[in-house]
Structure formats: structure tokens, C-alpha cells
Amino acid sequence: MGWAAAGVLAPWNPSLNMIRDRRWVFVAATLGYGIYYVCRLSLSAAKSGLVDSGVLSPAQLGWIGSALFWSYAVGKLANGFLADRVDLRRFASIGLLGTAAVNLAVGLQAGFWLFLVLWLVNGWFQSMGAPAFVVSLVRMFRQQERGSYYGIWSVSHHLGEAVSFAVTAALVAHLGWRAGFFGAAAIGLAGAGLLWVFFRPPNRQEPAVVKTTSTWHAQRAVLAMPVVWEIALASALMYVARYAINSWGVFYLEKAKGLTTVHASLAISVSSAAGIVGTVASGWLSDRWFDGDRCRPALGMALVSTLALLTLLLVPPGHPFVYVGMLAVFGSGIGALVCYLGGLMAVDLVPPAAAGAALGMVGIASYLGAAVQDIVSGYLIQSGMAASRPDGLFDLRAAAACWVGAIALSTVVIWRISRRARLSAP
């Protein structure tokens, strides 16, 4: 916010060819990151098949899912700092090629320990995507237009999720759990080729960006900003709820609400698709209606998401349309929060030379939260499956209550950030 006002960004009048180039890069970044998500969420679509076939237990799946988040969290910080300095096209393409190769390897084996190690490696490759794409957006678009473009780019999360819970789940349902990983690998390989051909962002700041400090000095200054760490905490708590639904939503709807694998997967895909609406609208609304303030709309979306997830927990089995409706509301709210908390709020507060560092700080906190969630959820779900109910379903309320509590706490943190921003405003 303050960097544009301080004169860091000079007037910019890009040529027509530059505008066209930016459009191709932007489309490639959006599609590319969506494909990253297909290669990340293949495990979520395959979980029920892995458990039902006796390959892995829910607790083991919790550890495997958590392994990705642990390595992703560390990688997000390290690769965030690297993205400020490296060739972004090569960086993003190698990451997607690597995650596709891991999915292929997972589909060829079934042992717990090898699965765990491979998914740990997958987390590192996955962490190369977001820093490359976000840094490219910061370099290509001025702050006054960045919110709208960031919101549209964030649709990639939900496109990837929707494909995973529809296409990958269909492969698993008809051909077995291995087919889900093979399908994700094929899509990932195609995506790596797409990035190599079309993703060609500038590898240095545009000439209009006046460099008043070194990259390392700017990155160190970002590390010392308390508000960035507060945003990271709010994002971490939000990611607990977000990845609880992404990782365990299909399983929860099957075992606690009585839906079939296909119907449960379609319900979760509706949540992901609804997230597109919230994501696209988030940046534009905050730019146009809130004068660039991300805190107030973020607070509203957090409240909506909390109420929707709570309703999903409380509604008894046998109400599939209510589940779909609440997941749609939850997905739209989370879609906006991923845009605000997941990067835009922090990136707005730092110099362009340190955008990757700010994203890395938020990313390591977010995915540490997601990692802890997967372990805790796995054990809570396994505990709830210890005794079945007369209808053959399981009592998974403890896990669901944990997810609701996390998004509620995130709402409180956002409120505190928003209140402090209002009190400090002139």
C-alpha cells in the first residue's frame, strides 16, 4: 500500500506488445498453478480407495498428507526467497515436472514408508509454483491493478481442486486408486510443457520500478514486520479448515454423512468451483469498494465460512442438498480468503523486490497449519471410527469441531488486524 504512495512505482505506459505478452504469461500462470493442484490433491481423491483396499489406514494417510505440508511449508519459505532472484520460467516448469514424476512413482508402489518419502518430495516440488507465479504478477502489474489480477489468478486453486475432485475421483472410482495418480501425472507432464512454452515473465523488475534498496535488505525488513506474521497466523488457521475439507472432505461425507464416493467427490468439487466466485470477486471488490483495504472483506468472508462449516457439522445424515449448499458457501468464502490471507495482504505491504519473501513467510505458516491438521484429523477420524453407529456411519464430530474452531480463530485474528488498521488510519 505505502510503497506506491512513497514513489517506488513510477508511471508505467506499457506498449501493446508488452500487454499481449503479459496476457499470455498470465494465462499460463493461471492454468499452470491449477495443474500444480491436480498433482497435489490426487491423494485426497484416492484416500477412500486406499483405506477400503487395506493399503493404508486413516492414521497413516494423515502422516503422508502431513509430510507434504511439512516439506511444502519449508520449501515455500526457501523458494519464496529464491523466486526473487531466479529464472521464473525454468523454476516453475521444473517444479511441475517434478511433482508429476512423483505422482507417477506413487502409482507404481503401495508401501507406507516409500509413499511417505515420495509425498515429502512432492511437497518440495509443489512449493516452487506459487512463489514463481506471484513474483511474476508483482513484476507485471502495478499495485493499483494487482488486486484484480491476483484474484483472477487465484482461480487456479479452485480449477485444480475441481478437476481433482471430479476427473481424478472418477478415475479412482472406475479404475482403482492407482489410476488417480497416473492421471494426475499425465496432466502434470502436459502442464510442464505448457509453462515452458508460454510462461515467460520478466526476470528482473520492470525499468519503471525504482530499486531503492538491495533485494536482501528488503527481504530482511519484511522478516521484521509484525503485521506480516499476524497475517501468516490468520492464514495458518484458515488453511487448517481449507485443507481439512480438501484432504478429508470426501472421506468425511462418505463415512459421517452417508454419501457415495462419486457424490461426495462431486459435493467437494462444488465447493472448489464456488471458490472461483469468491476468488475472482475478492481482489476487484477490495480495489473498487474498499479502497484497497483487504481486512474488512476478509473479515466478512471468514465469518461466512465459519457459519457454513458449523452448519455442515450440525446437519444430520440424509440431507445431501444442504451439504452441497453449505460447501458452496464455505468454498466461496475460502476462495476469497486464499486470495487475501494467502498472499495479497502481505504482498501489498512490502516492496516488489521482497514479494517472494513475504509470500514465503505466509506460506510456511499456512502449510505448517495444514500439516498439523492432517495428523490431528487422521487420529481424530480413526478414533471416531472405533465404533460404528446403527446406520453403519461413524461419529466424526470431534474432527469436524476442530476444523470449525480453526476457522473461527482465524476470524478473530483478522478482526484484530482490521481493528488495529482502523485505529491507526489518519
Side-chain angles (χ1 to χ4, degrees):
M1 298 176 203
W3 289 91
V8 174
L9 294 179
W12 185 21
N13 295 307
S15 66
L16 181 60
N17 286 337
M18 185 184 297
I19 292 173
R20 288 172 176 166
D21 290 343
R22 287 193 300 158
R23 288 174 179 170
W24 279 111
V25 173
F26 180 73
V27 170
T30 303
L31 294 177
Y33 200 48
I35 295 173
Y36 264 89
Y37 264 70
V38 174
C39 293
R40 182 187 310 183
L41 295 176
S42 51
L43 176 61
S44 299
K47 278 183 175 177
S48 186
L50 287 164
V51 172
D52 291 344
S53 62
V55 175
L56 296 168
S57 70
Q60 288 176 321
L61 284 171
W63 279 104
I64 291 170
S66 179
L68 181 142
F69 292 135
W70 286 110
S71 60
Y72 189 92
V74 176
K76 195 80 175 284
L77 181 62
N79 289 319
F81 277 76
L82 281 174
D84 289 325
R85 303 165 180 269
V86 300
D87 184 310
L88 298 177
R89 170 186 171 229
R90 183 174 301 172
F91 200 63
S93 300
I94 290 173
L96 189 49
L97 182 64
T99 189
V102 169
N103 271 270
L104 178 62
V106 166
L108 295 172
Q109 64 81 46
F112 168 68
W113 289 108
L114 183 55
F115 205 143
L116 182 72
V117 171
L118 286 171
W119 221 239
L120 188 75
V121 174
N122 194 27
W124 184 268
F125 283 123
Q126 285 284 330
S127 72
M128 298 171 70
F133 297 131
V134 172
V135 170
S136 72
L137 294 179
V138 171
R139 292 179 181 177
M140 291 190 300
F141 301 108
R142 292 168 57 88
Q143 185 170 333
Q144 292 86 345
E145 61 182 345
R146 187 182 304 149
S148 299
Y149 280 100
Y150 194 103
I152 297 171
W153 169 76
S154 294
V155 167
S156 57
H157 302 77
H158 309 290
L159 291 175
E161 291 168 0
V163 170
S164 292
F165 294 124
V167 177
T168 308
L171 289 172
V172 171
H174 293 94
L175 300 174
W177 65 266
R178 295 181 189 274
F181 293 106
F182 292 149
I187 294 172
L189 289 172
L194 174 114
L195 289 178
W196 187 257
V197 174
F198 294 105
F199 184 61
R200 297 173 180 269
N203 284 312
R204 292 185 301 274
Q205 299 295 335
E206 295 291 343
V209 179
V210 181
K211 296 188 72 174
T212 59
T213 184
S214 69
T215 298
W216 174 235
H217 182 77
Q219 290 177 333
R220 284 189 299 173
V222 170
L223 285 169
M225 294 176 66
V227 67
V228 177
W229 288 112
E230 290 177 347
I231 294 169
L233 174 60
S235 184
L237 292 166
M238 180 269 291
Y239 267 55
V240 170
R242 179 192 176 201
Y243 272 95
I245 296 301
N246 280 352
S247 297
W248 295 101
V250 174
F251 192 88
Y252 177 80
L253 291 175
E254 286 183 90
K255 306 303 183 183
K257 302 299 185 181
L259 272 62
T260 65
T261 299
V262 172
H263 289 163
S265 298
L266 288 174
I268 299 299
S269 71
V270 167
S271 176
S272 300
I276 296 174
V277 178
T279 299
V280 171
S282 58
W284 180 81
L285 286 174
S286 61
D287 283 344
R288 184 175 179 84
W289 299 105
F290 293 92
D291 296 324
D293 176 15
R294 321 295 182 189
C295 293
R296 285 180 291 166
L299 180 60
M301 292 299 181
L303 285 169
V304 167
S305 299
T306 301
L307 292 174
L309 196 56
L310 178 62
T311 303
L312 181 66
L313 164 64
L314 296 176
V315 172
H319 299 82
F321 292 107
V322 177
Y323 310 148
V324 171
M326 290 302 99
L327 285 167
V329 174
F330 175 79
S332 61
I334 290 295
L337 290 175
V338 168
C339 181
Y340 293 138
L341 297 176
L344 186 56
M345 288 172 67
V347 167
D348 277 350
L349 293 170
V350 305
L359 187 73
M361 291 166 60
V362 173
I364 190 171
S366 300
Y367 284 94
L368 286 176
V372 172
Q373 170 277 136
D374 234 353
I375 295 175
V376 173
S377 295
Y379 279 105
L380 289 175
I381 288 173
Q382 186 158 305
S383 176
M385 293 176 66
S388 62
R389 301 188 310 207
D391 56 7
L393 301 177
F394 300 98
D395 184 357
L396 305 182
R397 287 177 295 178
C402 175
W403 307 338
V404 174
I407 190 65
L409 286 174
S410 179
T411 305
V412 173
V413 177
I414 297 169
W415 173 78
R416 287 175 58 86
I417 297 171
S418 178
R419 182 172 180 271
R420 188 178 301 111
R422 289 197 304 271
L423 290 175
S424 62

